[in-house]
Amino acid sequence: MAKNLEAARNLLKASLDKSKQVGIELDETGSRLREINQRLVPLEVEFREVYNHRTTYVRVKNQVDCVIGPIAAIPRVYKAIIELEKAIAFSEPHTELFSYLFLIRRLEEGLKFLGSHSLLAIRWLEGVFELFEGDELLMNLKDSSGVLKKLHGMEESCHIQGGLLSNALDKLEIELGKLFALTSSLGEIHAIMERLKANGRLEKCVSLFVEIRVSIAKRRLQALGLDYLDDVKISNNVEIYIEQWSMHLELALKQIFDHEYKLSKKVFEKIGSNIWMTCFARISIESGILSFIQFGNEVANMKNDPIKLLTLLDIFKVLNNLRMDFNRLYGSSACIEIQNPIRDLVKRVVENAYDIFQQLPFQVGSQRRFSPPQDGSVPRLVKFITNYCNQLLGEDYKATLIEVLTINQQWKQEIYEENLLSIQFHNIMKEIGLNLDSWSKAYSDTSLSYLFMMNNHCHFTNLRGTNLGDMMGETWLTSHDQYKDYYATLYFKETWEKTLLPLLTQKGTTSLISVSISRLKAFNEAFKESYEKQSNWVISDENLRQKMRGILVEKVVTTYRCYIQSYKALVEQDSSAGKYVKHTENSLEIVNVFYYSVLNKCSENFVKYFNL
């Protein structure tokens, strides 16, 4: 019909063109034709609307054919969801986990179907409403649209807190928390996490895992007894604490944190991201790995002294022995909050240890201002330093010390010198020698000064066979042995040869009782004076004491015996002279009194510690 109207219009237009040639007599006819032409324009528009209306019906029919299937399935799916709701309400994940997960998965699929297909149907109906606004035949579809909108909102309501799916997922989280604590059912853990991840709860899984594993790791660490890590007075018993710290850090890494590392990887690795490493880092930090590092920093921040050097070497040795474990557990970029404190601690330990070692000769020399022991024994400083050097050169510290010195020089881009260790220990011994020379001059009694030097050179001689003695060499040891004998000779001459022996060897008329008695009286007085003067003196070494006793026997007692033998004749003439013989020739009491009462003392009872 439209084609016919178009053809008629064209025909009329052609006729009008021809009518122009007719003239004025056709004017009336022309006006009428123009009026008809004007009426054809709205007729054309109206016809087109009718045509389009018909086309819309065809299009609607096609849309209905496409949508009617899904729409018809919506009620069936809704029924299935109602049944699933009942089944889930009467199920618990801890009894039949996989059945419970199956029901949740079906519920998710049903809700997803309702959400997507009901929205499609709603949009289609809204389009139909716009097209047929006011058509009474389609008004009943509006009621259907309202029902579809309610069904579409069902998916959202199930996800919100308190909704069916939300409650079911909450139960799964509770069950997952129990499994995270047990860690024996990874299959069940992964199955639950899959459902929670599908519903946007992966972050909740991570937080739950970290929270539970942190509590367990903390409990295991507390069982080790780590209260000392927070003790602000660690300097009082730092050696004991370091030993505990070393043992506990190794246990923490190799047992507790290694277990959490492996577990984090097993639980989260299948997710396909590096999230498991982030979990492990959080567990380590929140459970207390940094408290071990902080303890090391507290020790490193203590006042520098020789004992601290040993402590720092202990710390470095522990960290170095556990370096592979640290790298394996915390080598990831996710553990940067742990890596940086560890690196800082190692750097601080190495630098502080190097500085203390370099300052040792200066610290020894700084003790020169103090006074020597009053009893002439080996100073506490000398004993401490030699024992200390032996420790540094022993199996426990030498290799570590060399490694620390090497690392520090590498950081400074310096080449490590092989004889650096030897040079430093020779410098320390040189400072001790200078101290001894200075201290020996502080004695007002020359004989006590000789005794002091004899004791100290003997101490150095006894270093033969030790780590320090081997480092210093045989020439050094031999020279101290010679100095020991040299000062022993000076001591004997200053004390015995000058005071006692001349009284027994003076030439004179021995037949005169008065002269002999005066000599005995002088000898007794001199011996008493020597006894009182040396009553607090000490010969530290047992072998040296025995040697000095031998010299006394050889030179003093022998001379005394000879004199007593010649004195017998005087006693026979005057029995009262016998009272001046206080020591018999056979008992050697003269030596015993002096040796056991004076020189047989232990120096530790009289020597105070030197402050370093």
Side-chain angles (χ1 to χ4, degrees), residues 237-254:
N237 297 290
V238 67
E239 297 89 353
I240 298 175
Y241 285 139
I242 286 297
E243 185 177 352
Q244 292 178 338
W245 177 81
S246 171
M247 177 181 64
H248 291 156
L249 179 57
E250 183 174 1
L251 287 174
L253 286 181
K254 293 183 178 294

Side-chain angles (χ1 to χ4, degrees), residues 210-224 226 256-257 259-260 283-284 286-288:
V210 171
E211 177 185 354
I212 291 173
R213 297 313 306 176
V214 165
S215 65
I216 293 174
K218 275 186 175 180
R219 190 162 59 247
R220 295 183 66 188
L221 286 170
Q222 288 171 356
L224 298 177
L226 303 180
I256 299 174
F257 292 117
H259 175 72
E260 298 303 328
I283 292 169
S284 298
E286 294 179 24
S287 59

Side-chain angles (χ1 to χ4, degrees), residues 45-62:
V45 174
E46 184 178 353
F47 185 78
R48 284 184 178 277
E49 288 180 356
V50 173
Y51 176 77
N52 290 338
H53 196 59
R54 182 184 172 203
T55 304
T56 300
Y57 272 112
V58 174
R59 188 168 65 250
V60 169
K61 179 180 181 301
N62 292 335

Side-chain angles (χ1 to χ4, degrees), residues 361 419-433 468 470-473 476:
N419 61 344
L420 175 62
L421 211 63
S422 175
I423 292 174
Q424 191 70 346
F425 282 105
H426 276 83
N427 288 337
I428 293 171
M429 292 299 107
K430 179 181 178 181
E431 290 298 324
I432 289 182
L468 179 59
D470 293 341
M471 170 71 73
M472 298 305 295
W476 183 82

Side-chain angles (χ1 to χ4, degrees), residues 27-93:
D27 286 342
E28 185 178 353
T29 305
S31 299
R32 291 171 63 189
L33 288 173
R34 282 193 295 273
E35 183 180 356
I36 294 172
N37 185 50
Q38 291 173 356
R39 291 179 179 177
L40 282 176
V41 174
L43 180 64
E44 179 184 10
V45 174
E46 184 178 353
F47 185 78
R48 284 184 178 277
E49 288 180 356
V50 173
Y51 176 77
N52 290 338
H53 196 59
R54 182 184 172 203
T55 304
T56 300
Y57 272 112
V58 174
R59 188 168 65 250
V60 169
K61 179 180 181 301
N62 292 335
Q63 290 179 0
V64 169
D65 291 340
C66 294
V67 179
I68 194 67
I71 292 179
I74 289 175
R76 294 196 299 271
V77 172
Y78 176 72
K79 271 187 176 183
I81 290 175
I82 297 301
E83 294 300 323
L84 286 171
E85 181 177 4
K86 295 178 182 179
I88 292 174
F90 288 100
S91 300
E92 292 294 336

Side-chain angles (χ1 to χ4, degrees), residues 126 198 208 219 224 236 239 347 378 382 384 420 505 591 611:
E126 288 175 349
L208 185 62
R219 190 162 59 247
L224 298 177
N236 295 338
E239 297 89 353
K347 187 173 185 295
V378 179
V382 175
F384 170 81
L420 175 62
T505 58
V591 177
N611 295 324

